[in-house]
Amino acid sequence: MESQGHNAPPEQSGFAHVRAHNHAGMANIVLERAPFDVQQVFGAGSPQAMETIAQQNNDFIGESIHCAQGSSLCSTANGGVTDVLPSEPGGYQALFGSKYVAPALGGLTDINGNTLSGFPGFDPTAAQTLGVVATMLEKNVPVVFAYIADVHDNQEGASLSSEATFGPGEAPYVKQLKDYDAAFAKFLARLTSDGFTTANTLFVLTPDEGDHFVGSKPSPANCDGVTVPCTYTNVGELDINLNAIVADAGDSTQFSLHFDDAPTVYVAGNPGRTDPGVRHLEQLISGLSALNPITGQSEKVTYRMADPVTEKILHMVTAADPNRTPTFTLFGDDNFFFESVGLLTAVEESGFAWNHGDDQPEIARTFIAIAGPGVKNLGVTETADFFTDHVDVRPTIMLLTGLTDDYAHDGRSILELINPSVLPAALGNHRPTALLLGQALKEVDAPFGALDQAALNVSTVALANSNNAIYNLLEAQIASWNLRRDAIAGPIKSALEGAEFHGDPINEPQAVQLIVRAQILVAEAEIWALIF
């Protein structure tokens, strides 16, 4: 959850004018690994680095406050240190970890008033996270980013259930959902009492991705989790030792992989995509099947595949570090989890039952909820109304709050959600065209947009094909789409960025040309996907 306090009520504890960002449990903006991150920030020989790993995890991991220059909140006296960033000369002063964050704010509790003694871990309940967020806002920290753990795994411990994870409609799952709902109700009531409302505060809530439940059919058949609880004979993802089943199929190619439902594969020696060994491995994996012990059926393990040509169109290639580019990526059957250990074929892992990271609509489609100044009250809308994804969240927040970045965004402001009356003139005067530009950008540039999905379909056929002529034809076609996509998406981003944040009116003739080019490109890719 993200919320941004705007014109917040004055704070009586002396932090009324502090400008800071709080991060509770958020990846990449807090310290995440002990002892490595602790040594990097505090020094290898520092008292902080001398603590045990367990104590470091409790004291310094998972929470931070970044302050504006000169802020007393992040002073050295409060444990503040400089967070050095290459793009920000001088860096920021910051507090890292509950050991410094909690006392600087007068202590932290969950939303029910229970004291939080150190960082609760990267699976915080709604009550824990929302208690910290409320305190941050009350202490006049105006921008708060926070994370809440999924509700389908057991976050409350033995008092809730002996199970580690739940199927839909199971009694402990429903109980935990009610606890989360109660925490949000207390949080919103507390903020309202404090004077934080949608009239002066922007609220943004979105999950990072959806999940696919792996388990048997629920019992009884008419269970709904509300009036009739559900039970399951099997609850758990199906683990596959990909290296082992490849070797068992007669391919001795050495490779490593990122353990996932959609594993990235790295062939030893980093050979090129046309290497005969790589091509054979792709073809073999594309046809592999494994026994699903829940259904008793042999099921194909591969859903889709991409090599660097298509990984580039999916934004999976980092030019600054070619060694990070996977040899290929296997988007798997969403019931399977791929790794390099364990038994040869699929076995049930009862501790994990919700797969993510893959390409299926159930996983890829999620939601965003926004409320606050300048936001339309649209109620619940469907994907068919308009397309947006996570890179659109930041420019939307920046536009609604009147802030600017010193870099260009990959996404666009979600104009469909914003009242036209709050748009800058350069954007508002061209709103219909800007809407079409934004939607065209999504279709050609988003990983789940029409172009990228069509390219992934074609890629799957190419990598599975043993006919080199067909493989080369399809790969060349995808590469050409990528070049054309970049030539379209770049100018669209520049046009939208200029209108959103720099007062540059949209060039209508150029915009129409870009929209038409995007539509032609998508149509062409979708025809190829249908043919192959």
Side-chain angles (χ1 to χ4, degrees), residues 124-450:
T125 64
Q128 292 169 331
T129 292
L130 295 174
V132 175
V133 171
T135 300
M136 291 292 118
L137 292 173
E138 289 165 347
K139 297 299 183 180
N140 214 30
V141 177
V143 182
V144 183
F145 296 85
Y147 166 81
I148 298 174
D150 62 72
V151 73
H152 51 240
D153 291 327
N154 186 351
Q155 312 298 350
E156 298 182 8
S159 62
L160 176 67
S161 173
S162 60
E163 298 176 80
T165 189
F166 313 121
E170 279 197 276
Y173 191 173
V174 175
K175 168 62 165 57
Q176 192 163 244
L177 280 167
K178 290 180 178 179
D179 292 342
Y180 272 42
D181 284 347
F184 269 98
K186 285 188 176 181
F187 171 73
L188 294 173
R190 178 170 160 181
L191 290 193
T192 300
S193 177
D194 290 335
F196 294 95
T197 71
T198 55
N200 58 31
T201 304
L202 179 65
F203 297 86
V204 181
L205 296 94
T206 184
D208 53 359
E209 58 192 327
D211 290 314
H212 167 75
F213 171 64
V214 185
S216 56
K217 293 185 180 299
S219 179
N222 67 334
C223 72
D224 58 8
V226 179
T227 58
V228 180
C230 299
T231 60
Y232 297 83
T233 304
N234 302 96
V235 175
E237 68 190 18
L238 306 175
D239 293 349
I240 289 182
N241 185 333
L242 185 62
N243 300 78
I245 63 171
V246 165
D248 189 64
D251 192 320
S252 60
T253 301
Q254 298 299 301
F255 63 91
S256 60
L257 65 147
H258 172 68
F259 294 7
D260 201 82
D261 181 33
T264 49
V265 175
Y266 298 83
V267 174
N270 198 22
R273 64 177 179 84
T274 60
D275 178 85
V278 170
R279 294 290 298 117
H280 182 268
L281 182 62
E282 292 169 343
Q283 293 160 27
L284 175 68
I285 289 179
S286 71
L288 284 175
S289 296
L291 176 68
N292 182 334
I294 295 177
T295 65
Q297 302 295 316
S298 180
E299 299 178 5
K300 187 177 179 183
V301 304
T302 301
Y303 175 56
R304 286 173 166 176
M305 294 181 74
D307 70 2
V309 174
T310 303
E311 287 167 348
K312 185 174 183 181
I313 211 168
L314 294 171
H315 303 287
M316 295 177 64
V317 173
T318 304
D321 188 0
N323 289 328
R324 297 187 65 178
T325 301
T327 308
F328 61 90
T329 300
L330 160 64
F331 297 91
D333 180 307
D334 51 10
N335 288 319
F336 295 138
F337 187 89
F338 301 89
E339 48 193 32
S340 299
V341 297
L343 300 177
L344 182 70
T345 54
V347 294
E348 182 186 339
E349 171 54 73
S350 59
F352 301 93
W354 296 84
N355 269 341
H356 53 248
D358 217 325
D359 189 62
Q360 292 84 352
E362 184 180 12
I363 291 171
R365 183 180 178 184
T366 183
F367 75 90
I368 186 170
I370 303 180
V375 179
K376 291 181 179 179
N377 184 5
L378 297 179
V380 178
T381 64
E382 296 297 327
T383 300
D385 295 326
F386 58 88
F387 180 92
T388 183
D389 57 8
H390 284 79
V391 295
D392 300 334
V393 176
R394 183 172 179 88
T396 301
I397 292 175
M398 302 301 276
L399 184 67
L400 286 168
T401 55
L403 301 174
T404 57
D405 277 315
D406 55 4
Y407 57 86
H409 300 96
D410 279 330
R412 50 97 184 203
S413 297
I414 310 172
L415 296 184
E416 296 90 340
L417 299 175
I418 301 175
N419 286 320
S421 61
V422 304
L423 297 176
L427 188 62
N429 292 340
H430 302 271
R431 183 177 179 275
T433 303
L435 275 169
L436 293 176
L437 273 176
Q439 291 162 2
L441 178 65
K442 297 290 92 178
E443 289 298 292
V444 300
D445 204 43
F448 292 102

Side-chain angles (χ1 to χ4, degrees), residues 3-21:
S3 66
Q4 198 275 338
H6 183 63
N7 295 328
E11 168 55 40
Q12 301 303 313
S13 65
F15 298 133
H17 303 293
V18 168
R19 294 182 59 208
H21 293 71

